Amino acid sequence: MTAAKLVIRNMTADELVLAVSWAEKEGWNPGLNDAALFYQADPSGFFVGELDGEIVAVGSAVSYDSRYAFCGLYIVAPEHRGKGYGLALTKHRLAYCGERNIGIDGVLENVEIYQRIGYVPFYQNYRYQKVAAYVPQSIEWISVIDKDSSASLEDLYAYDRRCFPAKREEFLKTWMTQEQGLTLMYRQEGKVLGYLVRRRCVEGYKVGPLFADNADIAYQLLNQAQSDIKGETIILDVPENNPAAIDLAEHEAMAVVFSTARMYQKGMPDIDNHKIFGITTFELG
């Protein structure tokens, strides 16, 4: 009897819902809107591996522009692990990315495996969490951005581009205005100096991104994001290559629950790392 051959193809939007449900089973605590919103980043950048019509592996390779991509959401069904299906899917995703610089947030125990396919580790991202609290403050410079906001998003897009390796306006447009989400912008004298997005997850809330010119602004945004969710879990994924971000998380009495290795194929992107106090997601960079 001939063994079934793995067939790799593009994932549909409905199948991305399945992939996110797998992520929930893995304990990744996805956002309630992640499936629909992730798809906006690159509808062609999500893949499944099938055996006889059964999906056994999933993974993404979101290509943001001609120079940068990010791979994530990589899961092989438990009963099919160790059979080479994940590697086949990964090679397909790398081929899709072409000559782009590719980033990942890799599981620490698999760093050597990722190195064998060309990734180089640069630093770790730490997942911090705590029970949300709030210190009353003046919010003179902080405004809420939503679907009904009269504020232009163009300045936010420009600010984001300094902290992320590619433009991602189509994704941000929906990410910032998602259901049960919150987007806060810090603007002083007409200039954007930071912003934050908070989303509802299976358990609690994740903040990401949290970009700010300095730690004080990042604190004000993070503190304000807790004002209406006191007692809930709040989560922030913090890059260790910004010491001020680590200091902020620890000042907030947040605890590390796990970490990943940020790795790239072609070196560190040239961005304002000192402004990154929380990355967007482990899945999309």
Side-chain angles (χ1 to χ4, degrees):
M1 185 175 183
T2 304
K5 181 181 178 181
L6 187 72
V7 175
I8 300 173
R9 60 169 176 79
N10 286 93
M11 188 186 296
T12 67
D14 288 342
E15 288 166 341
L16 187 47
V17 175
L18 172 68
V20 171
S21 74
W22 283 16
E24 181 181 351
K25 291 177 182 177
E26 293 291 319
W28 296 2
N29 190 25
L32 299 186
N33 304 308
D34 281 3
L37 298 178
F38 285 0
Y39 210 66
Q40 298 300 315
D42 179 8
S44 299
F46 296 85
F47 302 92
V48 298
E50 287 184 329
L51 288 177
D52 288 334
E54 176 193 0
I55 296 175
V56 300
V58 298
S60 63
V62 171
S63 294
Y64 287 100
D65 61 15
S66 62
R67 295 180 299 174
Y68 184 68
F70 198 90
C71 288
L73 201 62
Y74 169 60
I75 308 172
V76 178
E79 65 273 22
H80 291 286
R81 292 173 185 172
K83 301 176 182 178
Y85 301 142
L87 180 58
L89 183 66
T90 292
K91 288 181 177 178
H92 186 93
R93 291 186 295 151
L94 293 176
Y96 172 77
C97 294
E99 296 302 313
R100 296 172 176 86
N101 187 15
I102 309 167
I104 60 169
D105 272 313
V107 179
L108 296 184
E109 54 263 36
N110 290 337
V111 165
E112 290 185 5
I113 295 174
Y114 301 135
Q115 287 178 300
R116 290 201 291 268
I117 55 175
Y119 286 106
V120 177
F122 286 90
Y123 57 90
Q124 290 187 28
N125 285 318
Y126 296 102
R127 172 153 293 174
Y128 281 88
Q129 70 179 43
K130 72 166 191 170
V131 176
Y134 173 65
V135 178
Q137 63 174 354
S138 167
I139 59 169
E140 179 180 2
W141 308 114
I142 298 176
S143 57
V144 176
I145 303 298
D146 56 31
K147 292 178 180 177
D148 299 320
S149 176
S150 60
S152 169
L153 297 180
E154 296 303 319
D155 290 342
L156 275 179
Y157 296 156
Y159 191 89
D160 184 84
R161 179 61 185 87
R162 295 196 289 273
C163 304
F164 194 80
K167 292 182 178 180
R168 49 177 182 169
E169 283 93 339
E170 288 305 311
F171 167 71
L172 288 177
K173 189 182 301 181
T174 53
W175 190 252
M176 291 176 176
T177 58
Q178 63 182 282
E179 295 295 327
Q180 301 186 62
L182 173 71
T183 297
L184 300 175
M185 174 179 64
Y186 192 103
R187 185 195 293 269
Q188 193 169 11
E189 298 179 354
K191 185 178 181 181
V192 175
L193 301 179
Y195 87 97
L196 165 156
V197 178
R198 187 194 77 195
R199 75 191 195 277
R200 186 76 172 91
C201 296
V202 174
E203 296 180 9
Y205 295 81
K206 287 180 183 174
V207 168
L210 171 53
F211 298 157
D213 272 24
N214 56 54
D216 180 62
I217 292 171
Y219 164 75
Q220 292 183 54
L221 287 166
L222 183 60
N223 181 59
Q224 190 62 36
Q226 299 174 70
S227 63
D228 61 336
I229 59 167
K230 289 182 287 185
E232 296 271 7
T233 299
I234 188 167
I235 300 162
L236 182 67
D237 297 329
V238 179
E240 71 169 347
N241 67 333
N242 182 3
I246 299 293
D247 289 346
L248 173 62
E250 295 183 351
H251 175 269
E252 284 288 288
M254 304 181 87
V256 176
V257 291
F258 72 87
S259 61
T260 64
R262 175 56 65 92
M263 308 178 75
Y264 294 102
Q265 290 264 344
K266 296 184 177 181
M268 280 274 290
D270 182 16
I271 55 177
D272 291 346
N273 289 289
H274 66 284
K275 296 181 180 180
I276 303 173
F277 289 82
I279 68 168
T280 307
T281 75
F282 285 142
E283 295 82 9
L284 299 184

